[in-house]
Every structure is written in C-alpha cells, then in structure tokens.
Amino acid sequence: MKNPLSKFVPFLVGEFPRPFQDLVKKVSQNEQIKNENLEKELWQAYEFGSRHHEGQKRRSGKPYFENHCVEVAKILAEWKMDPITIIGGLLHDTIEDTEATFQEIEKTFGADVASLVNGVTKLGGISFSSRKAEQAGNFMKMLISVAKDLRVIIIKFADRLHNMSTIEYMPRIKQHRIAVETREVYAPLAHRLGMAKVKWKLDDLVLKTLNPEPYKEIEKKLKSSVKEREIYIKNITDSLVKELSEYNIKPQVSGRPKSHTSIYGKMVKRGKAFEEIYDILAIRVVVDKIEECYLTLGMLHQNFKPIQERFKDFIATPKSNGRKIS
Ligand code: MN
C-alpha cells in the first residue's frame, strides 16, 4: 500500500519513485563511491529535475525527465562516473529546456554541477552541419575546447547514446541528421578517447538508423548462430588455457562479439555475404608480460594459420595513439 505522504516526503517514508530507486541501485553498484549522503543528494537533484521538467513529454509520449534525464544518469552510473557527473546528467537539460537558471543550480548543487550542466548546454548550441569529413575534425576540436571539463563530453556521450537508442520516434529527416552527426563526430571522438564500447554502440545505432535492412539481417543471422559461436569460442579457449598452463601462464581469456557495423563494413568492402565473413567473433587473451604475449601468439599460430596481410603487431609497431593493444 502506497503511503500518501510518499509524494511529498518520500525520504521519510522510504517510498521513492521507481525510476529513482533504479538509479540509486545502479549508483550503489559502484563500490568506489563512499558517500553517506549520496541518496539524499541524488534525491535533491531528482526532485529538482522532475519538478522543472514537469509536464514535458518525449516524442514517444512518455514523461521527459523520467524517460530521458534519469536514463542518462543511469548510463553515467553504469560507466562508474562520480556522483557530481551523475547529478550533472540528471540536470543536463534543465538550463536549456526549463526555467531553471545557472545561478539557481550553482546555489543548490554547487559550482561543479552548475558548470557541467552549463557546458552540456553550450555544446548543444554548436551545430554540425557540414558533411565534409575534414569539417568533422574541426567540429571535434570545437567540442573539446568548449567542453573544457572532459566530464561534459562524457555526459554528452550518455545523452547521445540515449537519444540514438530512442531515435525511432523522431521524424525521418531528423533521424538522418542525428545519425550522420553521430557517425562523423561522436563515434570517432569516442574512439580517440579510448571509449571503445561506446564507439561500438554508437556505430551500431547509426547503422540501425541509416541502413535498417542490412542491420536487421545481420542481427537475425548473428542471433541464429549464437549457440554455435559460443561452443566454438569455448573449445578454443579451453584448449588454449590448458596449453598455456603448462608454461605457468594464466591468461584471462574472453570471447567478444564483433559489432554489427564491423561485420557490415566487411560485407560491403569485400563484397561478401554474411556467411562468407569468418571473423564474426573475436577472442581476447590477456597475459602479464610481453614475453608471454609472444609465446601465446606462437602457440595460437601453431593451431590457426595467420592471414599474412591481416596480422598486426602493436607491440613492435605501436598505433598512432600510442596504444599497444587494439
Ligand atoms: Mn538530453
């Protein structure tokens, strides 16, 4: 039975709204955050945001704050961001879309939160209109210089990721514009910042928006072969772990799926059908030392023939971003 007081003083009766409870759950999964007042602080921001966005709806017809701002904050919590950034995420649209002012946010939540929200608002004001690839680089530089604080960019990524995953409610022409901007600017930027998973998610959402037919086809075929791939990965990893243990090497081995975009890219580039793309799966073997890495490689090459021109050694020839791993 819902306590009638919960609408006004939920923290006293312990009945917070569902979306808030979900957020708190996500945030508390991060053990690094040790803040006794966390729930109270999050609630203050949640209450502020929901009050200011009151009555606003998304194109899907659902309440704006609960179905966008809270979702953005949840993504940030999943990325293990600090509480200030998560609160910034909750409030990221308040200056732009509500009566709330910078001063008010600064007074209530402090200078850090206010400057994050302000930064995200400013980023929203720059628009990417050119289709030329070289302009995308300039736009990227502009984003970084306006953002100043990297956390502003991170909130923007969470915002973009959520908007891309709910893009089907947008008019077709707007979908196209947002997807192109995501492809030209946000995905490469995520790549440069080392956020590989974010890039991959954005790329797949772009593909889904711009090329829905091949996306659906790849999705269907990947799903139907999930079991086979799992068995295949398990066979390889089991035998590898066993062989390496004879050399006292304990690797971390994981199979990882390839993105729809990378599979589609290969189909187009090499003019092949899905069935002819052999690398729809990847296996990652992590060892402690460089020597162990080469030893593992040698072992793999005994069992699997490398393809000459597709083989890369980023220890011997590091990538342009200085990374030794891909
Ligand atoms: Mn937003």
Side-chain angles (χ1 to χ4, degrees), residues 64 68 72 92-93 159 163:
Y64 189 86
H68 175 63
V72 168
H92 80 273
D93 279 327
D159 181 46
N163 283 334

XYZ file of all heavy atoms in Angstrom, residues 64 68 72 92-93 159 163, ligand 1:
64
model
N 9.264 13.324 -19.905
C 10.624 13.634 -20.342
C 11.689 13.302 -19.296
O 12.669 12.612 -19.585
C 10.722 15.121 -20.709
C 12.015 15.487 -21.379
C 12.155 15.339 -22.758
C 13.101 15.963 -20.650
C 13.337 15.656 -23.390
C 14.286 16.283 -21.274
C 14.407 16.131 -22.645
O 15.592 16.438 -23.260
N 14.219 10.296 -19.974
C 15.452 10.710 -20.649
C 16.538 11.064 -19.626
O 17.553 10.391 -19.550
C 15.191 11.864 -21.617
C 16.457 12.387 -22.228
N 17.268 11.608 -23.034
C 17.076 13.592 -22.135
C 18.321 12.318 -23.415
N 18.240 13.519 -22.877
N 19.853 8.949 -18.756
C 21.210 9.455 -18.993
C 22.042 9.285 -17.715
O 23.185 8.811 -17.751
C 21.178 10.931 -19.462
C 22.570 11.561 -19.421
C 20.596 11.023 -20.876
N 21.051 17.702 -16.886
C 21.731 18.226 -18.074
C 20.849 19.056 -19.006
O 21.348 19.890 -19.751
C 22.451 17.111 -18.844
C 21.557 16.287 -19.731
N 20.868 15.195 -19.278
C 21.229 16.421 -21.038
C 20.174 14.684 -20.275
N 20.364 15.400 -21.359
N 19.542 18.845 -18.970
C 18.669 19.614 -19.860
C 17.915 20.734 -19.151
O 17.080 21.401 -19.769
C 17.649 18.670 -20.539
C 18.260 17.941 -21.735
O 19.120 18.536 -22.411
O 17.869 16.776 -21.991
N 24.081 11.222 -23.229
C 22.904 11.868 -23.809
C 22.699 11.379 -25.252
O 21.607 10.967 -25.643
C 23.141 13.392 -23.782
C 21.983 14.188 -24.347
O 20.831 13.888 -23.990
O 22.237 15.117 -25.147
N 19.671 9.211 -26.813
C 18.873 9.753 -27.920
C 18.928 8.846 -29.149
O 17.926 8.651 -29.830
C 19.353 11.160 -28.306
C 18.875 12.200 -27.308
O 17.851 12.015 -26.646
N 19.612 13.290 -27.187
Mn 19.332 15.445 -23.343
